[in-house]
Amino acid sequence: MQIAKNAAVTFHYTLTDDDGQVVDSSAGREPLAYLHGHGHIVPGLEKQMEGRQIGDKFDAHVEPEEGYGVRHEELVQEVPREAFQGVADIQPGMQFQGHGPQGVINVTVTKVEDDKVHIDGNHPLAGKPLHFAIEVTGVREASDEELSHGHVHGAGGHHH
């Protein structure tokens, strides 16, 4: 069976950056499972998964526009330290949830100065090309239950 809309797919991956550094990998873990055609993985990778079959191994290059998006400098801000009430020791790399015009936004602290905290609301991989090494490990028709729930269920049925 080939990967197509509404297929339940599992695959192993290694994601590297332009310098060849591993950013994320499923090595040593269960393969990633997703429902094809439902936007559960970045669009550029989903397009390249189309038509693949169990056992296929391939490299996929995904540009930022079809990955985690381009960087938006307006999401890089300086906020007063008092915006982090209840957090005694704010350090670069810490992540918080905030509320923006479109709802909840995740931000990463990039720098801390006396009474100012610099935050970035961009995804950490925004603006970066993605390089995937893929091995397709499973392709099957999704069940009616999986389709109605919008995601793949684990072995043995429903687990949420």
PDB file of all heavy atoms in Angstrom, residues 71 91 94 147:
ATOM      1  N   ARG A  71      11.101  33.101   9.955  1.00  0.00           N
ATOM      2  CA  ARG A  71      11.175  33.853  11.223  1.00  0.00           C
ATOM      3  C   ARG A  71      10.402  35.151  11.089  1.00  0.00           C
ATOM      4  O   ARG A  71      10.425  35.795  10.053  1.00  0.00           O
ATOM      5  CB  ARG A  71      12.629  34.160  11.585  1.00  0.00           C
ATOM      6  CG  ARG A  71      13.359  32.957  12.149  1.00  0.00           C
ATOM      7  CD  ARG A  71      14.713  33.311  12.702  1.00  0.00           C
ATOM      8  NE  ARG A  71      14.705  34.365  13.696  1.00  0.00           N
ATOM      9  CZ  ARG A  71      14.359  34.210  14.985  1.00  0.00           C
ATOM     10  NH1 ARG A  71      13.991  33.023  15.414  1.00  0.00           N
ATOM     11  NH2 ARG A  71      14.397  35.217  15.816  1.00  0.00           N
ATOM     12  N   GLN A  91      16.261  32.194  33.163  1.00  0.00           N
ATOM     13  CA  GLN A  91      17.501  31.915  32.445  1.00  0.00           C
ATOM     14  C   GLN A  91      17.240  31.775  30.947  1.00  0.00           C
ATOM     15  O   GLN A  91      16.176  31.299  30.549  1.00  0.00           O
ATOM     16  CB  GLN A  91      18.115  30.603  32.954  1.00  0.00           C
ATOM     17  CG  GLN A  91      18.531  30.614  34.397  1.00  0.00           C
ATOM     18  CD  GLN A  91      19.709  31.531  34.635  1.00  0.00           C
ATOM     19  OE1 GLN A  91      20.611  31.648  33.809  1.00  0.00           O
ATOM     20  NE2 GLN A  91      19.687  32.227  35.768  1.00  0.00           N
ATOM     21  N   MET A  94      14.858  29.032  28.813  1.00  0.00           N
ATOM     22  CA  MET A  94      13.595  28.672  29.464  1.00  0.00           C
ATOM     23  C   MET A  94      12.441  28.985  28.508  1.00  0.00           C
ATOM     24  O   MET A  94      12.510  29.937  27.736  1.00  0.00           O
ATOM     25  CB  MET A  94      13.403  29.433  30.775  1.00  0.00           C
ATOM     26  CG  MET A  94      14.394  29.043  31.852  1.00  0.00           C
ATOM     27  SD  MET A  94      14.213  30.062  33.342  1.00  0.00           S
ATOM     28  CE  MET A  94      13.024  29.086  34.247  1.00  0.00           C
ATOM     29  N   LEU A 147     -10.005   7.993  11.983  1.00  0.00           N
ATOM     30  CA  LEU A 147     -10.404   9.130  11.145  1.00  0.00           C
ATOM     31  C   LEU A 147     -11.319  10.077  11.909  1.00  0.00           C
ATOM     32  O   LEU A 147     -11.171  11.297  11.816  1.00  0.00           O
ATOM     33  CB  LEU A 147     -11.074   8.649   9.857  1.00  0.00           C
ATOM     34  CG  LEU A 147     -10.144   7.925   8.876  1.00  0.00           C
ATOM     35  CD1 LEU A 147     -10.939   7.321   7.726  1.00  0.00           C
ATOM     36  CD2 LEU A 147      -9.067   8.867   8.360  1.00  0.00           C
TER      37      LEU A 147
END
